[in-house]
Amino acid sequence: MKLEQIINSLLEQDMYKFSMGEAIYHQFTDYKTTWSFKCRNTDVHFTEEMVDEIREQIRAYCNLRFTDEELEYLNAVQWIKGSYVDFLRLWQPRFDDFEITTDGPCGLAIETKGTWLNTSMYEIPTLAIVNEVYFRMAYDYKQLFESFKQRLDQKVTALTTGADGVSYTIGAFSEFGLRRRLSAEAQELAVKVLSEQDYHGKSTFVGTSNVYLAKKYNLSPVGTMAHEWIMCVGQGNHKHNPAYSNWYAMDAWVKEYGIMNGIALTDAITTDCFLKDFQLTYATLFSGVRHDSGDPFVWGEKMIEHYKKLGIDPASKTLLFSDSLDFERADQLYAHFSNKAKVAFGIGTYISNDTDVPALNIVMKTTACNGMDVAKISDTPGKGMCKNPDYVEYLKRCIDWRMKHDR
């Protein structure tokens, strides 16, 4: 490797991977998935040297193992069961599950295949590695890091004392930027600085999705479920009608966690279809819902009205916003919704990779489960990813039929 090792602990992982991982371990151990990398930036190219470095960094990541201290930390998380921690004691990433080549329009192609238990865990470290390799090798990293620190200082000032007429109030917020961070150094600096501030009652930094940093800085590790959970549970069984993916996913989640760890993701196959299954039982058991695509104001009002129709006080539920947020947008959403419901924010790239150059728009998504295509049909066109357009059309037809027939 030409760079220092980027991932140095298996806790450098988003918390929702462990939340989903436990449920996968107990309920879906035989599921197999394929994951595919995609760079949405049209002006980005990875050189062969970068691809070689990414390959070696992933190889180094695959040599890591959980330490006893790390496992003790996970075991202390309220909803994590000891049986899953014992599994992690034996678990290790497998480099043989990766295929890394120079194919593709951006000069980099990554695909992973294997058990869902394994491949689910690869997404976040892989994206973190790709980001850091790119920014360290394509730019003068020291200059980028200086611009990152300057912008971080401005953000902190806007949240605390205010300056130049800019002052934000956003309530509870978490850092969600591991997958798209500039570097491990940058993300840790941001988390450290944000955790040390006095927000004078206007905002509260509640934690980070990065479990390693949560442990290091005594913060809450934050994260429930991702789209993969709904896609694989709902679409990975050929007996399931994929328009009912949310029901299957929520049913399995409640079997695992009951009323704990319950923020439901609404937009895997559109929020309108989600609401068909988010009826009284699940709306009561889940403590709130997460927004990740579409107009957040329209979505929030829709969720509030849905809770009211069910006879549930929206003020008792959390609206968690996590789609491409900055502090200005969060301030607007908080002002609009804070007197109607509990409001929280998961803020990623804006905190972990805001520099003088644009951040990468890269993803690694589940494209197959048990040999079958899976897809996401979000509330924002273009956010989905599926290798088979015929399956996307089939899924859309299933959703449309259900919506028209009110089933």
Side-chain angles (χ1 to χ4, degrees):
M1 295 186 297
K2 294 188 175 181
L3 304 176
E4 292 184 4
Q5 186 164 333
I6 291 171
I7 301 295
N8 292 281
S9 166
L10 292 181
L11 284 188
E12 285 187 84
Q13 180 71 269
D14 277 347
M15 184 64 213
Y16 67 15
K17 288 295 184 177
F18 294 111
S19 297
M20 291 185 294
E22 176 180 309
I24 294 168
Y25 174 66
H26 288 141
Q27 300 182 53
F28 303 101
T29 51
D30 59 338
Y31 273 35
K32 293 180 172 59
T33 55
T34 299
W35 292 69
S36 303
F37 169 86
K38 182 178 182 179
C39 179
R40 293 170 175 159
N41 304 78
T42 57
D43 57 346
V44 166
H45 180 76
F46 291 87
T47 65
E48 287 191 24
E49 185 180 29
M50 291 178 188
V51 176
D52 287 341
E53 182 65 21
I54 289 166
R55 187 181 292 111
E56 292 310 306
Q57 289 285 346
I58 290 175
R59 192 189 303 275
Y61 154 73
C62 289
N63 289 329
L64 295 172
R65 304 291 181 269
F66 283 104
T67 67
D68 287 341
E69 182 183 346
E70 290 170 341
L71 293 170
E72 287 173 9
Y73 176 81
L74 287 173
N75 205 33
V77 175
Q78 185 180 19
W79 59 84
I80 297 293
K81 297 179 177 69
S83 57
Y84 178 56
V85 174
D86 281 344
F87 162 74
L88 292 178
R89 198 177 304 279
L90 304 174
W91 183 78
Q92 61 189 69
R94 295 182 70 253
F95 186 70
D96 288 346
D97 289 344
F98 288 83
E99 182 179 351
I100 306 164
T101 70
T102 56
D103 297 335
C106 69
L108 171 66
I110 304 174
E111 192 168 81
T112 65
K113 294 181 180 179
T115 63
W116 190 15
L117 268 173
N118 277 359
T119 53
S120 175
M121 298 291 276
Y122 301 154
E123 174 196 1
I124 306 302
T126 298
L127 292 175
I129 286 169
V130 170
N131 262 296
E132 186 158 348
V133 168
Y134 179 78
F135 286 111
R136 284 189 181 273
M137 298 182 74
Y139 295 95
D140 183 327
Y141 172 78
K142 289 184 178 179
Q143 288 187 0
L144 282 187
F145 188 58
E146 284 302 314
S147 68
F148 174 83
K149 289 192 291 184
Q150 291 172 5
R151 292 175 182 228
L152 178 61
D153 288 342
Q154 293 169 356
K155 293 180 179 71
V156 169
T157 299
L159 276 185
T160 54
T161 59
D164 300 325
V166 178
S167 179
Y168 299 130
T169 299
I170 64 175
F173 73 104
S174 302
E175 187 276 329
F176 273 24
L178 173 54
R179 72 184 62 204
R180 293 189 179 132
R181 67 189 186 185
L182 171 66
S183 64
E185 175 186 32
Q187 186 187 21
E188 179 164 353
L189 176 65
V191 168
K192 181 177 184 296
V193 168
L194 290 170
S195 68
E196 294 172 342
Q197 303 307 311
D198 180 356
Y199 297 99
H200 308 288
K202 299 190 303 176
S203 304
T204 304
F205 182 62
V206 298
T208 173
S209 65
N210 184 328
V211 183
Y212 173 80
L213 292 179
K215 177 180 180 295
K216 184 170 182 177
Y217 291 99
N218 195 29
L219 299 167
S220 296
V222 181
T224 304
M225 69 177 69
H227 295 99
E228 68 174 279
W229 176 254
I230 300 157
M231 292 161 62
C232 292
V233 174
Q235 301 171 38
N237 185 331
H238 72 277
K239 296 178 181 179
H240 293 173
N241 180 332
Y244 293 80
S245 293
N246 289 298
W247 186 90
Y248 289 110
M250 287 189 288
D251 180 63
W253 197 265
V254 169
K255 285 178 181 175
E256 188 69 33
Y257 293 115
I259 62 171
M260 292 192 296
N261 199 24
I263 294 288
L265 181 58
T266 70
D267 71 329
I269 53 171
T270 74
T271 293
D272 287 339
C273 193
F274 167 84
L275 293 179
K276 291 286 187 183
D277 294 312
F278 198 61
Q279 295 302 314
L280 186 59
T281 298
Y282 291 133
T284 301
L285 291 172
F286 281 84
S287 59
V289 285
R290 176 160 77 93
H291 170 268
D292 199 52
S293 65
D295 187 311
F297 293 94
V298 172
W299 175 88
E301 291 296 343
K302 183 179 293 185
M303 295 309 309
I304 286 169
E305 287 306 308
H306 186 74
Y307 279 125
K308 288 180 178 178
K309 287 179 182 178
L310 296 175
I312 296 172
D313 182 1
S316 68
K317 298 296 182 178
T318 297
L319 303 180
L320 172 60
F321 297 90
S322 64
D323 181 29
S324 304
L325 293 172
D326 56 27
F327 288 163
E328 180 179 6
R329 187 68 154 172
D331 178 84
Q332 294 167 354
L333 288 164
Y334 184 77
H336 185 88
F337 289 110
S338 60
N339 64 342
K340 302 176 181 180
K342 298 176 184 177
V343 179
F345 302 98
I347 304 177
T349 308
Y350 176 71
I351 290 178
S352 69
N353 196 355
D354 184 15
T355 72
D356 287 342
V357 302
L360 292 181
N361 187 352
I362 58 175
V363 294
M364 196 161 177
K365 297 291 187 183
T366 327
T367 50
C369 182
N370 297 329
M372 298 177 289
D373 295 297
V374 294
K376 178 178 76 166
I377 309 293
S378 76
D379 296 329
T380 299
K383 287 198 76 172
M385 181 175 170
C386 180
K387 290 186 175 182
N388 184 354
D390 290 339
Y391 178 75
V392 175
E393 288 304 312
Y394 164 70
L395 177 56
K396 287 180 178 178
R397 290 199 306 272
C398 290
I399 295 169
D400 289 344
W401 186 92
R402 186 180 182 193
M403 299 305 294
K404 289 175 182 177
H405 291 82
D406 196 29
R407 297 293 178 89

